[in-house]
Amino acid sequence: MNAPERIVLIGYGPVGARFVEELLPAVADGLVELAVVGGEDVEAYNRVLVAEYAVGGTALESMLVGDRAGAEHAGARMLLGTTARAIDRAARTVGLSTGEAVPYDRLVLATGARANVPTLDGVERPHRDLRSLERRPASLVGRDDRLPTGVTTLRDLDDAERVLASVRARERIVVLGAGVLGLELALAATHAGADVCVVHHGPHPMPRNLDRGAGLVLAAAARRSGLSVVANSRAEAVGYRGADDARRFDRLVTADGKQLRGDLLVLSCGVTPRTELATLAGLRTAVGVVVHPWLQTWSDPAVYAIGDCAHIAERTGSATDGAVVGAPSGLIGPGWRQAEWLAARFAADARAAAVASTAAATTGASRADAAAATGSIRPAAHDDAVLPPEREAIVMLKAEHLDVVAVGDVSADPWDDDPATPRRRVAQWADPEHGRYVKMVTEDGVLTAFAAVGMPRTAAELTLLYDRGGELPADRSLLLRLDGPDDDPGSATASLSPTATVCWCNGVSAGRIEEVAACGATTVEAVGRETRAGTGCGGCRSRIEELLARTADGAASAAA
């Protein structure tokens, strides 16, 4: 029997941990050898929940998504607290910060993304082009930018600890950026008692997800919750108090002359895929590491990429030398599905190779002849089987008493008359005084996009309709009644069919949740352990709670 295939994974975040989990059966069976290189010396955790951890809203134990002990027991080699410094594609080895060179037959990059550091006077932002990486690999590869005291991003546990200390001290926190993560942190910190100000250069928060109406209603609701929101202000510089090594953040200066003082500046300005290892190795990169739809890099058939660093693109003649369209999704759900799919492909290849090897030993034929006879070996590129395309993700803002749900392009205006979209219709309703807004975009009556603020029941029904690809009622105003005073709180979950998706990150249906609830999983955490539902972005946790309550009520009625 041939030696097991050597697979090396670089990156042990939530996507890397899912890949390890899915590949472990093949590791335990001796079909593959797996080595995992992770920069942090901690168990893999869900980075989406770092903002909650940073305000004391969740414990680290509830964020963990990996199982280092289980992986090592199965035979995987876990090299945590170790940085990958270089990839030698000719020798097929990964050079580590320890000086070791780990050999591989297949290499998987799950290096994730780092928080963006915007251009600000007073904050150094190193370049990571090929020339800079070659000059300073030890300080740039696998490392985050060094920030001045009192300035932080929010990407890992060290960042979260800095924010948590500031929240507990009731210091003034300035958050630069009003995307989903920045707003979630700001609102959670405000709720925890901190004095928080959000600064952004656009007219309203969450500009990638919300139209002007939804954004302005959200901004007003955030202000009513105690959050200070400064819009239309482009950050220009950072001022400090103290001198030299003792200096720390004092104020954020904007282009229109504002000086926003604080004790901690949190940069929430998006993320950039970690591609420096790939760049140094000569792999094709664009926004991320460029891979085929079967997750194999354009440049090397032995190297793959998944998660936030994977830029999936079709290789066409025009794309070979020119710009590559698209970008990594930046969401945990698609990353998990990539990890599961690729691990399944690797395991299938390993099992097929074992079958071919056994057949060759039995018949005396060569391994290649046996593989051809059994038809068990699939093309290495997997161009006959590609990763299923992702649907546009639903975005949910997680905040106390502030519900925001959106999906798709909601920029269309109800009074637009676009000849290119004659069947598109837009319905819009707003009650800014009470923090409520909804916009629905349809094509031939089928919901293609929506944004809802302060309308949780309506948003739940719209999510269900979007999932089904169902038509909206001819009278759109009927949906508004779901958030009226005479609505039954259980009606939204009562309308869920067993096949309806509740957890989009993990693809868990209502029927599956009800099934495990009937078997004793009566809390959101227990459901998560059994199904993974609610362990991704967390936006479905309230829906899971309602399903559990419905199941409990049904069981009580049956017992009576």
Side-chain angles (χ1 to χ4, degrees):
M1 184 173 177
N2 288 355
E5 186 174 48
R6 299 167 299 180
I7 297 174
V8 174
L9 170 72
I10 302 178
Y12 190 56
V15 172
R18 182 63 61 86
F19 177 83
V20 172
E21 180 183 350
E22 296 295 324
L23 195 61
L24 278 189
V27 175
D29 290 344
L31 298 174
V32 299
E33 291 180 356
L34 176 64
V36 180
V37 182
E40 291 184 87
D41 190 18
V42 294
E43 184 59 89
Y45 57 91
N46 187 350
R47 295 184 189 277
V48 178
L49 302 179
V50 166
E52 293 184 35
Y53 179 77
V55 299
T58 189
L60 178 59
E61 291 73 20
S62 65
M63 298 167 57
L64 299 180
V65 294
D67 183 5
R68 176 179 183 174
E72 290 178 332
H73 180 74
R77 187 182 180 202
M78 306 296 289
L79 300 166
L80 305 190
T82 304
T83 304
R85 294 293 191 209
I87 300 168
D88 186 334
R89 290 167 51 201
R92 290 197 175 183
T93 60
V94 177
L96 306 182
S97 54
T98 59
E100 181 183 0
V102 181
Y104 68 85
D105 297 305
R106 282 177 172 172
L107 174 65
V108 180
L109 302 177
T111 49
R114 68 168 50 82
N116 280 338
V117 175
T119 302
L120 297 168
D121 287 345
V123 178
E124 181 183 0
R125 189 178 70 164
H127 295 288
R128 285 185 170 82
D129 58 335
L130 179 59
R131 185 176 181 183
S132 299
L133 291 171
E134 289 175 337
R135 283 180 171 181
R136 297 188 295 152
S139 62
L140 294 179
V141 177
R143 295 186 178 274
D144 291 328
D145 298 336
R146 295 186 62 183
L147 297 173
T149 303
V151 180
T152 187
T153 58
L154 188 58
R155 193 67 182 167
D156 60 26
L157 295 179
D158 289 340
D159 298 335
E161 293 291 350
R162 283 188 283 272
V163 175
L164 184 58
S166 187
V167 169
R168 287 174 172 168
R170 297 293 192 268
E171 293 181 337
R172 179 166 173 77
I173 300 173
V174 179
V175 178
L176 179 58
V180 176
L181 296 181
L183 272 183
E184 286 183 349
L185 169 66
L187 289 164
T190 299
H191 184 74
D195 180 11
V196 187
C197 173
V198 168
V199 186
H200 62 101
H201 67 261
H204 62 79
M206 292 179 61
R208 293 186 178 182
N209 313 108
L210 304 180
D211 66 322
R212 180 175 179 272
L216 293 178
V217 170
L218 170 58
R223 290 189 178 99
R224 282 195 294 272
S225 72
L227 177 64
S228 175
V229 181
V230 180
N232 295 304
S233 290
R234 185 179 295 277
E236 195 170 68
V238 172
Y240 299 92
R241 51 180 177 265
D244 301 328
D245 293 341
R247 75 170 189 167
R248 63 173 296 116
F249 170 73
D250 179 67
R251 63 195 178 276
L252 180 69
V253 182
T254 65
D256 55 352
K258 295 185 180 71
Q259 297 201 21
L260 303 164
R261 294 188 178 274
D263 301 291
L264 180 70
L265 173 64
V266 182
L267 305 176
S268 184
C269 305
V271 297
T272 298
R274 296 180 184 270
T275 61
E276 56 266 28
L277 271 175
T279 300
L280 277 173
L283 298 170
R284 179 67 183 271
T285 62
V287 180
V289 182
V290 184
V291 296
H292 295 286
W294 52 91
L295 303 176
Q296 187 183 61
T297 60
W298 282 15
S299 310
D300 189 331
V303 183
Y304 299 74
I306 54 177
D308 283 351
C309 70
H311 183 161
I312 300 174
E314 294 277 2
R315 186 168 193 169
T316 62
S318 60
T320 301
D321 299 312
V324 180
V325 299
S329 72
L331 298 170
I332 194 167
W336 274 343
R337 285 184 280 278
Q338 291 167 17
E340 292 168 359
W341 186 89
L342 189 62
R345 300 295 301 167
F346 282 7
D349 283 354
R351 295 187 189 283
V355 169
S357 180
T358 301
T362 301
T363 63
S366 70
R367 181 178 178 277
D369 289 342
T374 61
S376 58
I377 300 298
R378 305 176 72 87
H382 300 318
D383 53 3
D384 62 334
V386 299
L387 184 73
E390 290 283 343
R391 292 190 67 188
E392 191 143 18
I394 293 178
V395 175
M396 301 180 183
L397 180 73
K398 302 183 293 297
E400 290 284 339
H401 312 302
L402 211 167
D403 297 280
V404 181
V405 184
V407 64
D409 182 2
V410 293
S411 62
D413 190 271
W415 296 276
D416 283 346
D417 186 14
D418 186 354
T421 55
R423 298 182 180 277
R424 184 175 65 192
R425 298 290 182 269
V426 181
Q428 183 178 15
W429 180 82
D431 180 12
E433 181 181 359
H434 298 97
R436 294 183 170 190
Y437 178 92
V438 63
K439 176 187 274 189
M440 298 163 276
V441 182
T442 60
E443 291 282 348
D444 280 331
V446 176
L447 186 66
T448 59
F450 73 88
V453 181
M455 305 281 286
R457 304 292 175 190
T458 302
E461 182 65 18
L462 290 173
T463 301
L464 179 61
L465 288 167
Y466 179 79
D467 183 30
R468 291 175 179 165
E471 291 191 22
L472 265 61
D475 182 358
R476 310 288 198 256
S477 67
L478 293 174
L479 293 166
L480 304 179
R481 296 180 60 186
L482 295 172
D483 285 290
D486 58 344
D487 178 57
D488 175 10
S491 61
T493 52
S495 64
L496 284 175
S497 70
T499 58
T501 302
V502 174
C503 176
W504 281 65
C505 293
N506 288 292
V508 184
S509 68
R512 175 62 178 148
I513 293 172
E514 291 176 332
E515 177 185 319
V516 299
C519 294
T522 56
T523 65
V524 175
E525 290 72 22
V527 169
R529 287 192 294 271
E530 294 294 328
T531 68
R532 295 175 176 160
T535 62
C537 73
C540 62
R541 292 175 69 89
S542 61
R543 188 83 69 87
I544 296 171
E545 289 173 351
E546 292 175 355
L547 276 170
L548 292 174
R550 186 179 86 179
T551 302
D553 290 344
S557 298

